[in-house]
Amino acid sequence: MALRYVVQIGDPVLRQKCEEVKKFDNDLFELLDDMKETVREENGAGLAAPQIGVPLRVVVIDLEEGYFELINPKFIAQKGKQTGAEGCLSVRGKQGIVTRPNKVKIEYRTRDGRKRTVTAEGLFARAICHELDHLDGVLYVDLAQNIVDVKEEK
Ligand code: NI
């Protein structure tokens, strides 16, 4: 495993539409392992592959609900609304208020290529929405109101 550099807003890789994963091989496992090490080092709730410069549809989420590796994730259902604060490891020192669905259901593949679904609510749903947006080149700052400076917690 290796810690990876988290690219910052302004880098064109963050604006790309990412490609689907087709090969569930050692390169993918290495990417996933590096993403785990990086998201934990950065104390993030989630991380998308383009944030470490890899334009593939791969996301990791690290929350109370567990640690999830989401490959080729897709929304199946969305319900309700929630409005709250969001930040991003690629937009250091800022936070903004974003409205998201309160509940989502997604379908994805595991690292061994198996199809799974998960239903998420609240912060877990928010993290999924935020990270899936990264796969289509969308950053929370595109959707946020009231973007403010926050102190770095490190
Ligand atoms: Ni982000």
Side-chain angles (χ1 to χ4, degrees):
M1 294 216 285
L3 204 55
R4 303 281 288 259
Y5 177 74
V6 179
V7 300
Q8 296 298 301
I9 187 167
D11 190 311
V13 73
L14 292 174
R15 294 305 192 177
Q16 261 180 266
K17 189 167 165 63
C18 297
E19 298 284 327
E20 293 229 327
V21 171
K22 297 209 171 74
K23 286 183 188 162
F24 292 76
D25 59 6
N26 279 323
D27 289 346
L28 176 67
F29 304 156
E30 198 176 308
L31 172 67
L32 287 163
D33 292 345
D34 288 355
M35 287 174 73
K36 184 173 190 175
E37 189 171 339
T38 305
V39 77
R40 294 229 153 131
E41 169 69 20
E42 301 279 353
N43 292 314
L47 185 71
Q51 292 184 273
I52 57 165
V54 179
L56 286 174
R57 303 189 81 80
V58 176
V59 157
V60 297
I61 304 274
D62 192 14
L63 285 173
E64 258 175 37
E65 288 82 353
Y67 187 81
F68 291 85
E69 295 177 336
L70 309 176
I71 298 152
N72 301 338
K74 282 186 193 81
F75 289 106
I76 301 175
Q78 311 189 7
K79 209 170 145 187
K81 270 187 186 175
Q82 58 171 320
T83 298
E86 232 165 88
C88 179
L89 297 176
S90 294
V91 188
R92 300 256 186 222
K94 305 263 184 204
Q95 239 181 36
I97 303 298
V98 187
T99 299
R100 301 283 192 185
N102 190 51
K103 197 171 177 181
V104 299
K105 185 176 185 187
I106 59 162
E107 158 186 297
Y108 64 98
R109 292 198 183 260
T110 62
R111 65 161 66 200
D112 49 9
R114 285 181 209 181
K115 205 178 256 190
R116 291 267 189 282
T117 61
V118 67
T119 301
E121 261 189 278
L123 186 61
F124 187 21
R126 173 179 296 283
I128 287 176
C129 293
H130 177 115
E131 298 309 334
L132 266 61
D133 270 355
H134 273 298
L135 305 182
D136 293 318
V138 175
L139 300 175
Y140 87 87
V141 293
D142 305 336
L143 318 168
Q145 320 153 15
N146 309 322
I147 298 169
V148 295
D149 293 325
V150 288
K151 272 210 177 137
E152 283 282 285
E153 296 166 35
K154 263 253 147 166

